Amino acid sequence: MSAPPIRSSTPQSKMKKDESFLGKLGGTLVRKKKSKEVNDLHEEGRNAINSPLQPSNMTLLPEDTLLEENAERSMLDPLSRDSPKFRELQRVLIDWINNELEEDRIIVKDLEEDLYDGQVLQKLFEKLSGRKLNVAEVTQSEIGQKQKLQTVLEAVNELLRPHSWTIEWSVDSIHTKSLVAIVYLLVALAMHFQAPIRLPEQVSVQVVVVKKKEGVLQTSHVNKELTTTTEIMMGRFERDAFDTLLDHAPDKLNVVKKSLITFVNKHLNKLNLEVTELESQFADGVYLVLLMGLLEDYFVPLYNFYLTPETFEQKVHNVSFAFELMQDGGLRRPKARPEDVVNLNLKSTLRVLYNLFTNYKHAE
């Protein structure tokens, strides 16, 4: 997108050196004792994290080891952070956010740095839900940012809890830039609002949990499942009329298919084209693009799409381009994913065509 961003990522603030009450009193003996305690804690943390039983390349910061009794801290394992599937999931989510917030001239580049203060999350939730939140537009102070996050997350949780979502995020985890918590939240929003994206399947990460018990740091590795299979994730969506037709009334489904075939052929026949199979003949996106041009009464330049697509990517490009033409015509972007149409998903194709039928059934 060409518009300049209103936000930019800021480097992570350096943590101030911890000073205890004794440290402030001064004195060579106290300073040496304090230094030894800190070094021991750091070394203990490193040994625990890097133990042969649970190998990891974690680099511990002071705040990771200077814990109160029974306190714990979670850290994303570096190997998980750098895994291709986890990086791809982040890229898909970033592209989705930027697409949704294009009109607000917001560009997200880094999930940790750009979402922790609640500004982008507020705009995203308002766009997806159509609900305006009563929060300050710009907040610079930490208190103000947490207050905004509190309002946004309360609204999100109120929306998701009735649908059996497990809340894996909090104000503190988001504000402290926990990438796992941020991704959990975005995946939940994308699935709930049926974002027109394909989330990578079976994405899991390892989280290292450090806990102080009886003065000793204990570590454990916890596997966090961020996404499952597309079928399971799609199963969380509310069932619609097409689900019911496919499961319980195939005879009525055939009536719907015949009506849609009649509708599309009424227009495609003008180009001497004819459809007999909805699932397959719209899968490469060509007929969808041509149909939109006919319905809106304009010629679509051939250089904008692949007239004879050969690869999966070219077909997805065509379907995505057809979706853009639908939006240009005043329709909402289809909830179906372009990839599902290309993969011959009947329900996805029917949803797209039925949306066109509803809006253009009187078009000549």
Side-chain angles (χ1 to χ4, degrees):
M1 57 193 80
S2 59
I6 63 171
R7 295 172 40 83
S8 62
S9 299
T10 57
Q12 187 172 358
S13 302
K14 295 182 178 178
M15 297 298 297
K16 293 182 179 180
K17 186 177 181 180
D18 178 76
E19 295 183 353
S20 68
F21 175 72
L22 289 177
K24 292 179 181 179
L25 293 179
T28 303
L29 182 60
V30 173
R31 285 197 300 271
K32 287 184 177 179
K33 183 179 180 181
K34 177 64 177 178
S35 177
K36 185 177 185 304
E37 288 176 350
V38 171
N39 290 335
D40 288 347
L41 282 171
H42 288 188
E43 187 63 27
E44 183 182 356
R46 291 190 182 92
N47 291 338
I49 294 294
N50 295 315
S51 62
L53 295 177
Q54 294 179 318
S56 175
N57 295 321
M58 294 296 301
T59 299
L60 293 180
L61 299 173
E63 65 269 23
D64 297 326
T65 53
L66 295 177
L67 300 176
E68 298 292 335
E69 183 68 17
N70 293 321
E72 68 177 40
R73 184 177 298 276
S74 299
M75 295 159 282
L76 179 61
D77 188 283
L79 294 178
S80 291
R81 179 182 287 272
D82 293 333
S83 70
K85 291 180 71 172
F86 185 52
R87 285 184 175 275
E88 173 65 10
L89 176 58
Q90 293 177 70
R91 185 196 64 77
V92 170
L93 292 172
I94 288 174
D95 289 346
W96 169 57
I97 295 172
N98 288 336
N99 182 66
E100 290 290 344
L101 301 182
E102 182 176 8
E103 294 179 359
D104 294 296
R105 301 173 67 187
I106 291 176
I107 297 178
V108 169
K109 296 181 179 180
D110 184 282
L111 294 179
E112 292 168 289
E113 298 295 335
D114 292 343
L115 271 69
Y116 79 95
D117 62 0
Q119 178 78 7
V120 173
L121 287 175
Q122 172 209 341
K123 294 294 184 182
L124 181 63
F125 179 77
E126 290 179 340
K127 174 69 182 299
L128 296 173
S129 66
R131 171 184 169 188
K132 185 71 174 176
L133 298 178
N134 184 25
V135 293
E137 282 300 313
V138 180
T139 52
Q140 297 294 337
S141 68
E142 179 178 336
I143 294 177
Q145 292 170 353
K146 287 188 172 182
Q147 287 175 340
K148 171 176 283 191
L149 273 174
Q150 182 71 34
T151 301
V152 174
L153 295 185
E154 283 179 355
V156 170
N157 296 346
E158 180 183 351
L159 182 71
L160 296 180
R161 274 202 180 98
H163 299 280
S164 302
W165 285 98
T166 301
I167 306 303
E168 298 277 359
W169 52 85
S170 65
V171 171
D172 287 337
S173 63
I174 299 294
H175 195 263
T176 54
K177 305 178 184 180
S178 167
L179 184 56
V180 175
I182 292 171
V183 170
Y184 260 128
L185 173 59
L186 293 175
V187 168
L189 288 174
M191 290 172 59
H192 180 81
F193 288 102
Q194 300 188 37
I197 58 176
R198 174 174 284 277
L199 297 171
E201 296 183 300
Q202 304 285 15
V203 180
S204 297
V205 293
Q206 286 283 323
V207 173
V208 182
V209 180
V210 182
K211 183 174 182 178
K212 190 172 186 179
K213 187 173 183 180
E214 297 180 355
V216 179
L217 290 178
Q218 300 178 348
T219 65
S220 60
H221 284 61
V222 179
N223 187 66
K224 296 287 188 179
E225 185 181 62
L226 301 173
T227 66
T228 56
T229 64
T230 298
E231 182 179 2
I232 293 176
M233 289 188 287
M234 289 289 289
R236 296 198 68 131
F237 300 154
E238 293 183 2
R239 294 173 61 81
D240 60 14
F242 288 115
D243 291 301
T244 304
L245 284 172
L246 284 170
D247 293 343
H248 305 295
D251 54 331
K252 293 183 180 179
L253 175 63
N254 288 330
V255 174
V256 173
K257 290 172 65 175
K258 288 180 180 179
S259 297
L260 292 177
I261 288 175
T262 300
F263 164 71
V264 298
N265 281 336
K266 173 184 174 182
H267 299 281
L268 290 176
N269 285 165
K270 299 171 186 177
L271 299 178
N272 294 321
L273 301 173
E274 185 168 359
V275 170
T276 56
E277 291 291 335
L278 295 178
E279 305 96 297
S280 59
Q281 289 183 267
F282 284 95
D284 62 8
V286 175
Y287 278 15
L288 270 181
V289 172
L290 297 176
L291 181 58
M292 279 308 304
L294 291 166
L295 293 173
E296 285 291 327
D297 196 24
Y298 56 70
F299 175 76
V300 181
L302 298 180
Y303 57 77
N304 281 333
F305 66 104
Y306 298 95
L307 191 59
T308 56
E310 298 179 356
T311 66
F312 180 82
E313 289 73 20
Q314 291 175 348
K315 295 175 183 179
V316 170
H317 169 86
N318 283 354
V319 177
S320 299
F321 177 57
F323 285 5
E324 292 177 12
L325 296 180
M326 294 175 196
Q327 289 180 280
D328 291 342
L331 280 67
R332 290 182 60 87
R333 183 178 177 85
K335 290 184 177 180
R337 295 165 174 78
E339 293 87 352
D340 293 334
V341 175
V342 175
N343 284 326
L344 307 179
N345 184 290
L346 177 59
K347 285 188 288 186
S348 295
T349 304
L350 288 177
R351 289 187 180 99
V352 173
L353 295 176
Y354 187 76
N355 189 35
L356 294 180
F357 173 76
T358 302
N359 287 275
Y360 294 101
K361 58 185 175 183
H362 298 303
E364 297 296 331

Coordinates of all heavy atoms in Angstrom, one line a residue, residues 296 324-332 359-360:
E296 N -20.6 -6.0 -13.8 CA -20.3 -4.6 -13.6 C -20.2 -3.8 -14.9 O -20.0 -2.6 -14.9 CB -19.1 -4.4 -12.7 CG -19.2 -4.7 -11.3 CD -20.1 -3.7 -10.6 OE1 -20.1 -2.5 -10.9 OE2 -20.8 -4.1 -9.6
E324 N -11.2 -8.9 -5.2 CA -10.9 -7.5 -5.2 C -11.9 -6.7 -6.1 O -12.4 -5.6 -5.8 CB -9.5 -7.2 -5.7 CG -8.4 -7.6 -4.8 CD -7.0 -7.4 -5.3 OE1 -6.9 -6.7 -6.4 OE2 -6.0 -7.9 -4.8
L325 N -12.3 -7.3 -7.2 CA -13.3 -6.7 -8.1 C -14.6 -6.7 -7.4 O -15.4 -5.7 -7.6 CB -13.4 -7.5 -9.4 CG -12.1 -7.5 -10.3 CD1 -12.4 -8.3 -11.6 CD2 -11.7 -6.1 -10.7
M326 N -14.9 -7.7 -6.7 CA -16.2 -7.7 -5.9 C -16.2 -6.6 -4.9 O -17.3 -5.9 -4.8 CB -16.4 -9.1 -5.2 CG -16.5 -10.2 -6.1 SD -16.6 -11.8 -5.2 CE -16.3 -13.0 -6.6
Q327 N -15.1 -6.4 -4.2 CA -15.0 -5.3 -3.3 C -15.2 -3.9 -4.0 O -15.8 -3.0 -3.5 CB -13.7 -5.3 -2.5 CG -13.7 -6.5 -1.5 CD -12.3 -6.5 -0.7 OE1 -11.3 -7.0 -1.2 NE2 -12.3 -6.0 0.5
D328 N -14.5 -3.8 -5.1 CA -14.7 -2.6 -5.9 C -16.1 -2.3 -6.3 O -16.5 -1.2 -6.5 CB -13.8 -2.6 -7.2 CG -12.3 -2.6 -6.8 OD1 -11.9 -2.2 -5.7 OD2 -11.5 -3.0 -7.7
G329 N -16.9 -3.4 -6.5 CA -18.3 -3.3 -6.8 C -19.2 -3.0 -5.6 O -20.4 -2.9 -5.8
G330 N -18.6 -2.8 -4.5 CA -19.4 -2.5 -3.3 C -19.8 -3.7 -2.4 O -20.5 -3.6 -1.4
L331 N -19.3 -4.9 -2.8 CA -19.6 -6.1 -2.0 C -18.6 -6.3 -0.9 O -17.4 -5.8 -1.1 CB -19.6 -7.4 -2.9 CG -20.9 -7.7 -3.7 CD1 -21.1 -6.6 -4.8 CD2 -20.7 -9.0 -4.4
R332 N -18.9 -6.9 0.2 CA -18.0 -7.3 1.2 C -17.1 -8.4 0.7 O -17.5 -9.2 -0.2 CB -18.7 -7.8 2.5 CG -19.4 -6.7 3.2 CD -20.0 -7.3 4.5 NE -19.0 -7.8 5.4 CZ -18.4 -7.1 6.3 NH1 -18.6 -5.8 6.4 NH2 -17.5 -7.7 7.1
N359 N -26.7 -10.2 -5.0 CA -26.5 -8.8 -5.4 C -26.7 -8.5 -6.8 O -27.0 -7.3 -7.2 CB -25.0 -8.4 -5.0 CG -24.8 -8.3 -3.5 OD1 -25.1 -7.2 -2.9 ND2 -24.4 -9.4 -2.9
Y360 N -26.7 -9.5 -7.7 CA -26.8 -9.2 -9.2 C -27.9 -10.0 -9.8 O -27.9 -10.1 -11.1 CB -25.5 -9.5 -9.9 CG -24.4 -8.6 -9.4 CD1 -23.4 -9.0 -8.5 CD2 -24.2 -7.3 -10.0 CE1 -22.3 -8.2 -8.2 CE2 -23.1 -6.5 -9.6 CZ -22.2 -7.0 -8.7 OH -21.1 -6.2 -8.3

